[in-house]
């Protein structure tokens, strides 16, 4: 089978791009307006190409107002511009959201019977299809064959979310949240080859977020972890075909990534219990959660009051080292990835402390991040180093947290059994 032409080189993070947003005719078309808003607010030039049926759900005037560009559906409009060729040739990314069963079928078969499908044939850039349809349609062998065919050509077809559909129906086939679509769009602009379907069938468990250790019913010991990096790892792994469970501690109220099963935890003890249980059947375990090193030795059953005697003395005790325990209990062939948030001090720099932690923890791979004000925690971007137990060290340049996640999964894919 002939593959699609090579994708464009990686773009500079944050650079503006020419994006085509295709919209097929499904009830989820209204969410395309939010996808469009997020892409334009990121500074991109977005041309919306709906199908005729999509305009039954959202009118052309809405897309034109939000994009500041004309909206057309047919190949016989704007003849001098040769739009059915030029739009695809000039695009740096094509996103189709929602992509209905009909649209996926026409794209897979190379149809060119409207402006959107013609544009898909002329595009030589990354293409992201975002399916949305009823569960029965998504799981039908014909749809699954079309998805497999599109992926075999190097195009990206997202796994849909699970949840409420139209009416009382619920299940896989729901359009992922616009924020998630925009995140993957940014990833493909940063790195066009970031989402190969190379983790298909792999069982992966990822931890994310920061634990909180209660002091009293009001206060706790915690950290600034937002969970963004762990969620990005889970999201990218699922879109690369893995069966992913995300053990989430406290996060910035993040929605579960599409195609990801989520388990909630709170304290280090509850995270430990969940990770040990989930890791038992996993082929890859990633400890990205920021686990509190210490917890109060005693938890007050009432709010500790401020008194004239001054602040109370709080005795701390050490939390279990979950990563070390996971390494000690690993099953044959299991790959374990750790994360280390470090700052330099008088004894060494960030990388020095990361190397020492890799040796101490005994995991296969360790991602080392430099943390501090405006770095890593609660930020959309990340950077660092990927250290391997075999002594290999790879610098991870600054970019989206999804980009860093894609580099981690590259290393995992190379090591995972085929």
């Amino acid at each position: 089978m002939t593959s699609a032409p090579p994708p464009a080189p990686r773009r500079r993070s944050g650079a503006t791009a020419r994006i085509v947003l295709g919209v097929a005719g499904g009830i989820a078309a209204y969410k395309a307006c939010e996808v469009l808003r997020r892409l334009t607010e990121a500074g991109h030039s977005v041309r919306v190409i709906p199908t005729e049926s999509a305009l039954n759900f959202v009118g052309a005037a809405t897309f034109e107002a939000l994009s500041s560009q004309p909206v057309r559906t047919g190949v016989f409009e704007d003849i001098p511009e040769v739009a059915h060729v030029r739009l695809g040739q000039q695009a740096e990314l094509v996103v189709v959201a929602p992509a209905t069963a009909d649209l996926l079928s026409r794209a897979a078969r190379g149809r060119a019977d409207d402006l959107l499908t013609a544009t898909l044939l002329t595009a030589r850039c990354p293409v992201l299809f975002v399916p949305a349809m009823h569960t029965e349609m998504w799981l039908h062998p014909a749809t699954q064959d079309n998805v497999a065919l599109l992926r075999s050509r190097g195009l990206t077809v997202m796994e849909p979310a699970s949840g409420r559909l139209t009416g009382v129906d619920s299940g896989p086939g729901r359009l992922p949240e616009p924020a998630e679509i925009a995140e993957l769009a940014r990833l493909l602009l940063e790195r066009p080859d970031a989402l190969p379907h190379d983790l298909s069938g792999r069982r992966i468990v990822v931890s994310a977020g920061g634990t909180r250790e209660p002091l009293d019913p009001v206060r706790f010991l915690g950290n600034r972890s937002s969970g963004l990096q762990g969620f990005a790892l889970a999201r990218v792994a699922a879109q690369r075909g893995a069966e992913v469970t995300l053990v989430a501690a406290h996060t910035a109220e993040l929605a579960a990534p599409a195609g990801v099963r989520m388990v909630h935890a709170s304290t280090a003890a509850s995270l430990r219990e969940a990770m040990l249980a989930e890791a038992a059947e996993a082929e890859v375990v990633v400890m990205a959660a920021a686990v509190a090193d210490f917890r109060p030795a005693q938890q007050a059953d009432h709010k500790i009051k401020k008194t004239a005697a001054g602040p109370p003395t709080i005795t701390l005790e050490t939390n279990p080292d979950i990563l070390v325990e996971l390494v000690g209990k690993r099953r044959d062939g299991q790959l374990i990835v750790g994360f280390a948030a470090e700052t330099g001090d008088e004894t060494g720099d960030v990388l020095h402390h990361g190397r020492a932690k890799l040796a101490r923890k005994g995991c296969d791979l360790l991602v080392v991040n430099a943390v501090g004000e405006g770095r890593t925690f609660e930020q959309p971007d990340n950077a660092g180093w990927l250290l391997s137990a075999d002594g290999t060290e790879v610098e991870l340049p600054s970019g989206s947290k999804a980009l860093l996640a894609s580099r981690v999964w590259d290393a995992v894919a190379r090591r995972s059994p085929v």
Side-chain angles (χ1 to χ4, degrees):
M1 182 176 296
T2 303
S3 299
R10 176 185 164 186
R11 297 175 51 80
R12 176 175 54 84
S13 178
T16 60
R18 293 184 298 275
I19 299 176
V20 167
L21 175 60
V23 183
I27 186 60
Y30 77 94
K31 291 187 178 181
C33 297
E34 176 64 12
V35 175
L36 173 58
R37 185 185 69 81
R38 288 178 176 273
L39 295 175
T40 56
E41 288 187 352
H44 302 304
S45 172
V46 185
R47 179 74 178 262
V48 181
I49 307 179
T51 63
E52 280 290 342
S53 58
L55 296 181
N56 291 319
F57 297 94
V58 181
T62 300
F63 291 131
E64 289 182 340
L66 293 174
S67 68
S68 300
Q69 298 209 46
V71 169
R72 303 287 186 269
T73 61
V75 296
F76 293 105
E77 300 172 89
D78 292 332
I79 294 297
E81 184 187 354
V82 198
H84 71 287
V85 174
R86 295 286 181 263
L87 291 174
Q89 287 178 333
Q90 296 173 357
E92 295 167 89
L93 174 68
V94 176
V95 179
V96 183
T100 60
D102 174 70
L103 188 284
L104 291 173
S105 175
R106 290 193 291 136
R109 304 305 159 188
R111 297 276 293 276
D113 42 9
D114 61 10
L115 186 57
L116 178 53
T117 51
T119 298
L120 288 169
L121 282 181
T122 59
R124 294 298 182 266
C125 60
V127 176
L128 174 64
F129 291 98
V130 189
M133 64 198 75
H134 266 69
T135 301
E136 293 83 357
M137 299 175 76
W138 170 249
L139 296 178
H140 195 283
T143 302
Q144 291 300 304
D145 285 348
N146 289 330
V147 168
L149 183 57
L150 290 167
R151 285 173 174 163
S152 74
R153 293 173 179 162
L155 308 177
T156 300
V157 183
M158 282 186 70
E159 290 294 322
S162 291
R164 183 72 177 270
L165 303 171
T166 55
V168 298
D169 294 336
S170 182
R174 180 182 173 90
L175 190 81
E177 292 303 312
E180 186 167 6
I181 298 169
E183 181 180 353
L184 292 183
R186 179 188 174 186
L187 173 60
L188 290 174
L189 287 170
E190 291 178 301
R191 186 187 172 201
D193 61 346
L195 294 173
H197 217 246
D198 57 352
L199 296 177
S200 182
R202 297 280 171 264
R203 289 170 295 178
I204 293 174
V205 57
V206 179
S207 68
T211 64
R212 294 181 177 181
E213 312 302 321
L215 175 61
D216 63 21
V218 177
R219 304 177 182 90
F220 60 86
L221 286 178
N223 54 63
R224 293 171 54 193
S225 175
S226 62
L228 290 170
Q229 185 61 75
F231 272 64
L233 284 157
R235 176 174 295 114
V236 173
Q239 298 307 331
R240 289 174 69 152
E243 179 184 327
V244 184
T245 297
L246 176 62
V247 179
H250 290 274
T251 64
E253 298 183 355
L254 302 174
V260 173
R261 170 177 166 261
M262 193 151 74
V263 175
H264 292 280
S266 179
T267 63
S270 62
L271 185 75
R272 171 186 174 273
E273 181 180 1
M275 286 300 294
L276 290 176
E278 297 296 338
E281 300 299 326
E283 298 170 49
V284 183
V285 179
V286 182
M287 270 296 298
V291 181
D293 292 321
F294 309 101
R295 64 174 181 263
Q298 293 184 325
Q299 179 183 348
D301 57 7
H302 60 274
K303 180 182 176 183
I304 300 172
K305 303 296 192 293
K306 186 188 298 183
T307 68
T313 298
I314 300 173
T315 302
L316 302 178
E317 58 187 16
T318 303
N319 271 324
D321 192 319
I322 302 173
L323 179 56
V324 168
E325 194 167 355
L326 287 167
V327 170
K329 295 182 177 182
R330 80 164 83 201
R331 60 188 185 85
D332 289 345
Q334 190 176 64
L335 186 71
I336 299 182
V337 184
F339 269 69
E342 293 289 348
T343 61
D345 57 24
E346 65 278 1
T347 66
D349 61 13
V350 169
L351 199 50
H352 168 81
H353 290 302
R355 292 172 181 139
K357 183 166 286 189
L358 174 63
R360 191 167 64 251
K361 302 288 188 179
C363 52
D364 301 288
L365 297 167
L366 185 74
V367 179
V368 182
N369 302 130
V371 297
E373 190 64 32
R375 302 174 72 183
T376 304
F377 285 147
E378 302 173 313
Q379 302 298 315
D381 291 4
N382 204 355
W385 297 266
L386 182 61
L387 311 184
S388 173
D390 64 10
T392 304
E393 297 182 357
V394 177
E395 185 174 1
L396 302 172
S398 181
S400 70
K401 288 186 172 178
L403 177 63
L404 186 144
S406 75
R407 299 298 188 192
V408 173
W409 294 126
D410 287 348
V412 168
R414 287 193 294 268
R415 293 164 177 258
S416 293
V418 178

